[in-house]
Amino acid sequence: MLAIAGTPCVAMGETVNISTPQTSLILDAAEGQPLKILYYGDRLSEADASALSDGGGAMWLNAYPVYGIYPMAEAALSVTHSDGNRTTDIAVTGVSTRTDADGGEVTTVKMRDRFYPFDVNVNYRTYPAEDIIETWVDVTNGEKGMVTLNRFLSGYLPIRYGNVWMHSLYGTWADETNITEEPVPHGVRMIKNKDGLRNSHTSHAEVMLSLDGRPRENQGRVIGAALCYTGNYKMFIDTDDGDYHHLFAGINEENSEYHLKKGETFTTPELAFTYSDEGLSGVSRNFHRWGRNHRLHAGDKERKILLNSWEGVYLAVNEEVMSGMMEDIASMGGELFVMDDGWFGDKYKRDVDNSSLGDWVVDKSKLPHGIYGLLDEASRHGIRFGIWIEPEMTNTLSELYERHPEYVVKAPHREIVKGRGGTQVVLDMANPKVQDIVFEVVDTLMTKYPAIDYIKWDANAPVMEHGSQYLTADNQSHLYIDYHKGLEKTLDRIRTAHPDVTIQLCASGGGRVNWGFLPWFDEFWCSDNTDALQRVFMQWGTSYFYPAIAMGSHISASPNHQTFRRIPIKFRADVAMSGRLGLEMQPRDMNEEDRAVCRQAIADYKAIRPIVQFGDLYRLQSPYERKGVASLMYVTPEKDDAVFYWWKIETFMGQQLPRIPMAGLDPDKNYRVTELNRIDNQPLPYEGKTFSGRYLMSNGLEMPVTYRVDYHKNTDYSSRVLRLTEVR
Ligand code: GLA
């Protein structure tokens, strides 16, 4: 019998077809047998799906391999049963389907150990309009005693051996989301994170696999996978001498074995995967659409254009300066001002970054009229107000730490290890009392000042020693996992109480860019590096899995504070406009000309905001190919409006820059070209002209290599933003 996800039928064991509009995952769930995966790829007809079980190239591999019988292969689950037996042998007992509140259709394949009352449910969720499948596992201990989970990954996917290339993201503070591309090697290629808190520095928990050799942006078969988790993870591809590459992903079990008492269930985070025959960009579009519709908090609401105070004034926050910044961003057309670090502390003042985290009271010496005064000022300027917090942290120089040294992560008999400022320590989110404190940081702010529109939630430290003062001695291995369970519980409480406040997730820049966080957060800060040139590369990598609506992308000062590079305001604005536009500088330091460019960029961004924030991304020319330019575009789902970005990333005389054919348009529609953010003395030759989608996609438009400005204003930079609007 064939069971199709989303239909109310329950398979009697046999073929289970988990289909999305363009993809199919075919499983065999015969009762009494381990669950098998037969196929994953392009959507199959029912006839092909049924025929698979009779042969036809089906994989017939365990869909969720467990450790014990044939222990030489890698497994997704490894358990020590209550009697010490380290083998697990599971077989299907049934399949059920249900529809959840979000319209997701969940197929659960229930399995039980052949001897022990130990249950493993493998779940698959699809949505009617998305090409993503989410998978996760619930493990329940029905045995008399304690079961120890030694490995408990979220999912497994076999990929036919061949010319498979792997793409992943790596980086560190101020150098996030670099792309690495390589043929999948024999042996094990591992991506992992053990920071404890910030899981997208080092590397990202996502991967793309091109099935047809060296990847292309808009052609070729590609599988993408993203582990949606807030904590330590591992993702690895094991290639032995068989016919398959084996992709595993889940929580990093290192030093985290988990004890399950009788009756307890452990639920893994979700692994979201997709398949597209439209290349890397196709996979990205699948993630972006699914993310905006089902994962990102308020993914259907436009994001405001903001000024954040950090690079403008760092910790030197005070009422006069904040008011001035609000006046300036309002005068340029911005909609929101965010006061970053430096506003709090009573006994200890936050004048340098070595104190006061945890003491979330206004520093009256800096802000004599408090938050109310700032909110009044914002409303006087017709903008909204936001504020920075770092609620999971404290400093040894703080009133919170003086009162409760037992609330921080610390191992017995060890000197406490301190981070930023020589004093920063991490609060132990495994502890329910700490969870209350963290909830109250947000709840108190929002209850006292309901007009706060935006919170920047930061986290600037890793777990620096393995020890929970809350967990019992025999459960110290739960620290990494219970920290995140506690964090997620707290975020649930926060969102139940305060669903409407926009919350940005930041962690030493882009340290927490993971789909696991985004159900509670509206956006993330990509990096503390705001250099526009490096941002072209970093935002390119980020866009592999994350949509522009979630990507904080700010115009900052020149010379840049991280790279000291001098970049003209036009280029800085053209890069920032490809994400969620903001400013990160002291506007008072800008000259009138630069202000005018910002004002124009903000006005133009307002017009294209729905296209950038809700449109489909087509990456066209990767900066990583070093062809001298990078280019991408966003197109509305109706293909009636688009924005094209072109950035020159190198300058040499005699350079032969490629002309960039566009993508994603309707060949049969006609589009009028308008340049945005124009600084040239004359319009481009094709300004206001109309071209067919077919011409724009087969040929593209020539871009002048420089801005066409007065001679003394020439620089080595050049960039263009063009809007393409359908002419009916
Ligand atoms: C981190 C963030 C910055 C800024 C500072 C404040 O480094 O990434 O954007 O908020 O903290 O201390």
Side-chain angles (χ1 to χ4, degrees):
M1 170 180 176
L2 183 71
I4 300 184
T7 59
C9 73
V10 172
M12 303 302 293
E14 306 303 329
T15 309
V16 177
N17 180 339
I18 317 267
S19 275
T20 70
Q22 307 289 336
T23 74
S24 291
L25 171 71
I26 311 290
L27 305 164
D28 184 89
E31 273 190 37
Q33 299 299 317
L35 176 68
K36 297 285 179 189
I37 176 167
L38 307 190
Y39 170 87
Y40 179 55
D42 256 327
R43 188 183 163 110
L44 297 187
S45 66
E46 278 193 38
D48 276 343
S50 300
L52 267 181
S53 47
D54 302 328
M59 301 177 190
W60 284 106
L61 294 168
N62 282 347
Y64 190 71
V66 298
Y67 178 84
I69 313 289
Y70 297 115
M72 47 288 196
E74 285 292 343
L77 181 76
S78 161
V79 168
T80 307
H81 293 281
S82 46
D83 61 0
N85 186 347
R86 297 185 77 98
T87 67
T88 296
D89 187 11
I90 50 174
V92 173
T93 58
V95 181
S96 64
T97 61
R98 66 181 161 88
T99 302
D100 64 18
D102 191 20
E105 292 159 5
V106 181
T107 304
T108 299
V109 180
K110 296 181 177 152
M111 288 186 276
R112 175 164 269 219
D113 189 277
R114 291 182 200 273
F115 178 81
Y116 296 95
F118 178 77
D119 294 308
V120 179
N121 290 349
V122 180
N123 306 286
Y124 300 92
R125 186 189 285 118
T126 57
Y127 301 92
E130 315 295 343
D131 281 313
I132 296 270
I133 298 175
E134 300 167 10
T135 185
W136 73 99
V137 173
D138 310 296
V139 176
T140 303
N141 174 16
E143 301 178 26
K144 289 208 180 69
M146 184 88 79
V147 164
T148 301
L149 306 181
N150 306 310
R151 181 185 276 184
F152 32 90
L153 300 177
S154 295
Y156 160 73
L157 201 63
I159 291 140
R160 183 67 171 78
Y161 183 85
N163 191 8
V164 178
W165 279 58
M166 169 173 163
H167 319 259
S168 59
L169 305 170
Y170 70 94
T172 182
W173 178 81
D175 179 31
E176 287 90 344
T177 46
N178 294 279
I179 295 173
T180 162
E181 291 185 347
E182 65 211 306
V184 175
H186 272 94
V188 172
R189 172 71 168 85
M190 167 91 80
I191 302 169
K192 62 167 173 53
N193 174 276
K194 302 204 281 184
D195 184 275
L197 267 79
R198 302 161 306 172
N199 69 359
S200 60
H201 282 152
T202 65
S203 54
H204 264 241
E206 299 104 19
V207 69
M208 287 208 207
L209 297 157
S210 306
L211 308 185
D212 304 311
R214 199 177 251 287
R216 302 184 58 193
E217 275 299 349
N218 292 296
Q219 281 111 38
R221 300 175 307 146
V222 182
I223 286 174
L227 181 75
C228 310
Y229 186 52
T230 57
N232 291 353
Y233 67 83
K234 72 197 282 190
M235 207 172 207
F236 61 95
I237 303 187
D238 181 27
T239 305
D240 50 24
D241 49 359
D243 285 342
Y244 288 89
H245 304 282
H246 307 275
L247 172 67
F248 292 86
I251 293 178
N252 194 332
E253 73 275 7
E254 211 172 299
N255 285 312
S256 292
E257 66 272 12
Y258 209 85
H259 306 119
L260 275 193
K261 290 196 216 113
K262 181 178 171 55
E264 280 183 344
T265 298
F266 185 89
T267 301
T268 71
E270 288 138 348
L271 173 68
F273 58 93
T274 189
Y275 164 87
S276 171
D277 61 6
E278 294 179 25
L280 303 171
S281 278
V283 162
S284 300
R285 286 191 292 279
N286 290 352
F287 274 110
H288 296 177
R289 263 196 310 268
W290 157 84
R292 281 192 308 259
N293 294 337
H294 301 286
R295 194 101 202 162
L296 177 68
H297 187 261
D300 59 348
K301 300 225 165 47
E302 283 190 0
R303 306 305 195 241
K304 298 188 181 76
I305 300 163
L306 62 85
L307 168 65
N308 185 57
S309 69
W310 180 242
E311 284 192 28
V313 298
Y314 294 101
L315 295 163
V317 161
N318 70 48
E319 205 165 87
E320 200 190 326
V321 174
M322 297 297 99
S323 303
M325 289 180 117
M326 287 195 246
E327 184 184 353
D328 289 337
I329 187 63
S331 75
M332 286 189 271
E335 300 155 330
L336 167 70
F337 171 71
V338 182
M339 175 171 67
D340 207 291
D341 196 353
W343 60 269
F344 51 92
D346 182 18
K347 177 172 169 190
Y348 299 99
K349 308 278 180 208
R350 182 81 171 166
D351 294 329
V352 278
D353 63 0
N354 69 353
S355 73
S356 324
L357 298 173
D359 302 345
W360 301 107
V361 289
V362 174
D363 179 346
K364 286 278 186 184
S365 63
K366 292 178 180 174
L367 301 170
H369 299 94
I371 307 290
Y372 290 118
L374 297 172
L375 285 167
D376 285 348
E377 196 64 9
S379 108
R380 206 165 66 78
H381 292 297
I383 58 170
R384 306 301 304 269
F385 177 79
I387 196 163
W388 179 93
I389 50 175
E390 196 178 353
E392 296 155 76
M393 304 285 162
T394 187
N395 295 101
T396 48
L397 287 180
S398 74
E399 294 182 64
L400 175 64
Y401 185 77
E402 282 174 351
R403 281 196 310 274
H404 292 293
E406 76 282 11
Y407 283 176
V408 306
V409 169
K410 185 191 174 308
H413 319 302
R414 309 282 170 222
E415 274 291 307
I416 189 161
V417 183
K418 298 174 232 164
R420 186 181 187 187
T423 54
Q424 185 158 334
V425 286
V426 178
L427 292 169
D428 183 358
M429 290 298 293
N431 183 340
K433 291 203 176 116
V434 171
Q435 295 164 19
D436 287 344
I437 287 183
V438 171
F439 170 74
E440 278 156 22
V441 175
V442 176
D443 192 55
T444 306
L445 274 177
M446 293 309 301
T447 309
K448 244 174 128 178
Y449 315 109
I452 289 179
D453 186 64
Y454 180 107
I455 287 174
K456 175 173 175 179
W457 176 305
D458 214 333
N460 290 312
V463 167
M464 292 171 282
E465 58 190 308
H466 189 137
S468 168
Q469 302 188 73
Y470 168 75
L471 293 169
T472 54
D474 51 352
N475 276 340
Q476 286 294 308
S477 63
H478 291 197
L479 170 65
Y480 288 114
I481 291 169
D482 285 359
Y483 184 100
H484 288 276
K485 283 188 178 180
L487 176 59
E488 291 178 10
K489 220 159 112 187
T490 309
L491 290 167
D492 274 342
R493 280 173 75 190
I494 289 173
R495 275 311 188 185
T496 305
H498 308 289
D500 296 329
V501 62
T502 300
I503 313 186
Q504 182 192 64
L505 183 56
C506 173
S508 313
R512 275 183 164 178
V513 180
N514 184 294
W515 280 116
F517 285 104
L518 295 178
W520 302 282
F521 294 90
D522 302 74
E523 61 173 40
F524 50 79
W525 185 223
C526 299
S527 176
D528 274 348
N529 182 346
T530 55
D531 174 280
L533 183 61
Q534 202 164 348
R535 277 282 179 138
V536 170
F537 290 79
M538 290 193 289
Q539 294 181 189
W540 193 273
T542 308
S543 82
Y544 266 33
F545 298 94
Y546 297 93
I549 189 173
M551 245 189 247
S553 174
H554 296 179
I555 303 171
S556 63
S558 178
N560 179 267
H561 291 192
Q562 294 79 38
T563 61
F564 306 103
R565 207 188 324 262
R566 288 165 202 273
I567 299 184
I569 189 80
K570 156 78 177 156
F571 188 94
R572 283 180 273 148
D574 283 0
V575 172
M577 277 177 87
S578 67
R580 194 280 288 130
L581 175 65
L583 271 75
E584 182 84 26
M585 64 197 304
Q586 170 51 286
R588 297 271 144 121
D589 296 341
M590 267 192 257
N591 61 31
E592 236 343 284
E593 223 174 312
D594 284 6
R595 270 173 186 261
V597 171
C598 283
R599 206 172 287 127
Q600 183 65 47
I602 288 173
D604 283 349
Y605 187 79
K606 284 180 183 167
I608 58 168
R609 173 159 45 190
I611 314 173
V612 176
Q613 298 193 355
F614 305 118
D616 289 323
L617 168 69
Y618 291 81
R619 284 182 304 261
L620 304 172
Q621 174 60 58
S622 167
Y624 288 88
E625 284 181 14
R626 306 276 170 179
K627 294 268 173 65
V629 291
S631 178
L632 56 79
M633 61 195 289
Y634 299 101
V635 184
T636 59
E638 300 75 28
K639 301 192 182 293
D640 58 353
D641 219 339
V643 202
F644 169 87
Y645 295 83
W646 181 94
W647 305 288
K648 186 151 70 79
I649 56 171
E650 283 174 358
T651 296
F652 292 99
M653 288 307 289
Q655 217 173 349
Q656 293 173 304
L657 297 178
R659 185 175 56 212
I660 312 290
M662 298 186 186
L665 301 170
D666 181 335
D668 298 323
K669 285 185 171 162
N670 293 313
Y671 299 89
R672 182 181 309 109
V673 179
T674 317
E675 184 180 10
L676 306 180
N677 274 0
R678 187 181 123 198
I679 59 162
D680 289 19
N681 294 336
Q682 273 94 41
L684 293 167
Y686 36 76
E687 173 75 26
K689 303 251 161 63
T690 297
F691 300 90
S692 69
R694 180 166 284 106
Y695 173 79
L696 294 170
M697 292 195 289
S698 64
N699 190 80
L701 299 172
E702 291 290 355
M703 300 294 133
V705 290
T706 58
Y707 300 129
R708 299 189 309 179
V709 290
D710 294 348
Y711 183 79
H712 71 279
K713 289 189 182 161
N714 271 316
T715 70
D716 50 346
Y717 282 87
S718 181
S719 55
R720 299 285 161 186
V721 183
L722 306 180
R723 180 163 183 191
L724 307 153
T725 315
E726 186 190 355
V727 179
R728 288 178 219 262

